[in-house]
Amino acid sequence: MTTDTIIVAPIGGQRSVMRPVSEGRGAIARAPAAETSERVFRIRSADSYVCRQRADSLLRERYAWRGYHAVSLPSDQTTNRITLSATENDDTIGTITVALDSAEGLSAEDAFPAEMEGLRASNLRVCEFTKLAIDPISGSKRVLAALFHVAYIVAHRIRGYDALVMEVNPRHVRYYERMLGARIVGEERLNRFVNAPAVLLTIDFDYIRQQIEAFGGRADLDADERSLYPYAFSSREEQGILARLMKAQTPASASIN
């Protein structure tokens, strides 16, 4: 995936605006100044060295704060490891990596080999959402929802995967069950990469699609629908993001085939 800014969005309040791809090569626009909140963030594909270094710095900082062993991003983006970052001005305030199943395998197989094989035996194309970090001061539900939504677009809408898995600390299981509809497929084990306990969660992308169609772009529903989905992009915005990402691919790229 070769693109810079994927979408610009307000951290709170007003919605972002995506011009059609036919207008100005799919340029990203913001609502008129009088209608936008003061703070906006950008979702980017972490293709450049500087972008990856900043995402890596946030990742190391947040993992160290939790007492985990240090993890880092590979120096380069690959077709099977796609890192997204959320930035406000020049600060990286969130990052997530989409690891697509391939001959290299997925890191979740180290602690949960039988569970991963069980998912594959169900004829599911499985990917992993990993290396998630959110700045606790600048980040928000909106930032987290946006990162997950764009990761979903990359994994499901572009690459055709069926489900995601995540290794999360046992303390965070209820959060992801409530906020994203995750379910447990692997009980607590030791994640040797970070030297911390982990539980394996999964979410079907069909379920995510249904929730986005029902609640995406409806932050006003937050009081009643206590999940992250009202903070996701609307279906119209999703179509704009998808069009921009597809336009950014090189012809016959392995990243979309």
Side-chain angles (χ1 to χ4, degrees):
M1 186 163 58
T2 54
T3 187
D4 187 13
T5 298
I6 296 170
I7 193 166
V8 179
I11 286 181
Q14 294 294 323
R15 307 293 299 162
S16 57
V17 177
M18 171 81 73
R19 293 195 190 100
V21 172
S22 59
E23 297 181 18
R25 298 186 300 278
I28 304 296
R30 297 211 313 250
E35 298 181 6
T36 53
S37 59
E38 292 183 359
R39 294 178 61 196
V40 299
F41 67 97
R42 298 170 184 268
I43 300 293
R44 306 174 186 268
S45 174
D47 296 308
S48 72
Y49 174 80
V50 171
C51 190
R52 293 186 75 78
Q53 285 294 100
R54 289 174 176 168
D56 192 61
S57 178
L58 175 64
L59 192 65
R60 288 173 176 270
E61 174 189 309
R62 298 312 302 157
Y63 274 52
W65 181 84
R66 293 170 182 157
Y68 298 164
H69 279 180
V71 296
S72 60
L73 297 174
S75 58
D76 297 311
Q77 194 95 283
T78 71
T79 58
N80 292 319
R81 297 288 188 278
I82 301 113
T83 297
L84 303 169
S85 65
T87 62
E88 183 182 11
N89 300 319
D90 291 329
D91 297 324
T92 297
I93 60 175
T95 184
I96 192 171
T97 293
V98 180
L100 302 170
D101 203 4
S102 67
E104 303 169 25
L106 298 172
S107 63
E109 292 177 70
D110 185 73
F112 301 95
E115 290 82 356
M116 293 300 297
E117 281 306 308
L119 290 170
R120 293 187 182 108
S122 300
N123 293 320
L124 292 175
R125 297 188 73 207
V126 183
C127 67
E128 187 172 16
F129 284 12
T130 185
K131 294 183 171 60
L132 171 66
I134 300 290
D135 183 282
I137 297 175
S138 302
S140 67
K141 284 184 180 178
R142 179 76 169 116
V143 174
L144 179 58
L147 282 169
F148 265 90
H149 195 160
V150 177
Y152 152 82
I153 292 170
V154 171
H156 180 62
R157 300 296 308 278
I158 295 179
R159 297 294 296 269
Y161 281 73
D162 302 309
L164 69 88
V165 294
M166 298 186 295
E167 289 183 87
V168 306
N169 190 286
R171 297 192 306 270
H172 303 151
V173 169
R174 287 295 301 149
Y175 178 85
Y176 287 106
E177 288 178 328
R178 183 177 71 254
M179 301 302 279
L180 288 170
R183 66 182 192 276
I184 297 172
V185 289
E187 298 295 338
E188 184 176 327
R189 313 272 173 80
L190 177 68
N191 181 314
R192 296 187 303 157
F193 300 115
V194 298
N195 193 35
V199 172
L200 187 66
L201 304 180
T202 188
I203 315 174
D204 293 337
F205 284 134
D206 281 346
Y207 173 82
I208 293 177
R209 180 193 288 263
Q210 292 166 8
Q211 298 304 300
I212 288 171
E213 289 174 350
F215 302 112
R218 296 292 309 279
D220 57 298
L221 297 178
D222 179 57
D224 299 316
E225 173 54 34
R226 296 185 179 277
S227 74
L228 281 181
Y229 292 108
Y231 292 95
F233 298 110
S234 67
S235 294
R236 181 177 179 181
E237 287 171 316
E238 180 180 305
Q239 289 302 317
I241 294 168
L242 178 62
R244 180 171 174 80
L245 289 174
M246 293 298 290
K247 191 175 180 66
Q249 310 300 318
T250 55
S253 169
S255 65
I256 61 174
N257 292 332

